[in-house]
Amino acid sequence: AELDQLKAALRGVPMIDIHAPFDNYDVSFVSPNPRVLQASLDELEATLEVARAVGAQTVTLHTGSTATRIGPDREWACFRKVLPEIDRLAGRYGVRIGAELTSHYEILDEAHTQHVGLTLDVAHILLAGGADYGGYGSLGRIIERFAPRVFHMHIHDCDGQRDHLALGAGVIDFGDVIAALVRIGYQGGLGLELNPERVHTPAEALRCAAWLRERIREEQARAAP
């Protein structure tokens, strides 16, 4: 009954992204414990089942964390090892998975994933990689470098300390982001992730959406032959 209610609420929504559970040691794709990994895969499969039922195009996934002190290199090795199974699950359910990575984007190329790409969160990439965006120089360069892998985008502003701000309230260069998306012919979704404690009214959120649409139209017109 709840699934039917959800499907009814989403009817007519052109682009649906579902966020898989995260920020919980019970859901971790970087754990060295095979039982934790299997439980996490089971939880992801349940999410993919709902995603398929409601017609979602993408599921966003966090790699998670682990209480085991193994260091970042081994964490990435654990994620690399489980990626083929994540890819198979996505293929089985016909839903693309966007891994919300803020570094090591090339791991998806190395694993040759077919159904797992990237959900690029513009503010989280800034917070994780600093002003040079982890050595790539700009968000636009990351978008263009990994263009075939960019499945979904999380859009919100950041002032260097706080994120999920209204667009224009921080330091994100949205002109650079939008220009890159137009150059690569991006066809995925743009999800506004606005914190209601920082974007206080629905009207303010709608203004962000309208501003974003207008900037996209302007850039498309500028880039047209």
Side-chain angles (χ1 to χ4, degrees), residues 155-172:
I155 304 295
H156 49 115
D157 216 334
C158 171
D159 61 11
Q161 295 181 327
R162 300 179 305 152
D163 55 5
H164 302 288
L165 303 175
L167 309 191
V171 299
I172 299 292

Side-chain angles (χ1 to χ4, degrees), residues 123-136:
H124 294 168
I125 292 172
L126 170 62
L127 290 173
D132 71 342
Y133 295 96
Y136 285 95

Side-chain angles (χ1 to χ4, degrees), residues 31 39 42 81 92 99 109 113 116 118 120 123-124 126 135 146 167-168 170 202 210 212 225:
S31 172
D42 293 344
K81 186 176 180 179
R92 184 186 309 164
D109 292 332
T113 58
V116 180
L118 295 168
L120 291 181
H124 294 168
L126 170 62
F146 297 99
L167 309 191
L212 184 61

Side-chain angles (χ1 to χ4, degrees), residues 16-22 29 44 47-48 51 57-63 95-101 117-121 151-154 193:
I16 301 170
D17 174 73
I18 293 180
H19 210 310
F22 70 101
F29 297 101
L44 175 61
T47 303
L48 288 166
Q57 288 77 21
T58 56
V59 164
T60 290
L61 172 146
H62 281 198
T63 58
V95 179
R96 299 199 301 178
I97 290 176
E100 191 173 323
L101 306 183
L118 295 168
T119 290
L120 291 181
D121 186 306
F151 289 176
H152 190 61
M153 297 284 296
H154 284 171
E193 281 201 331

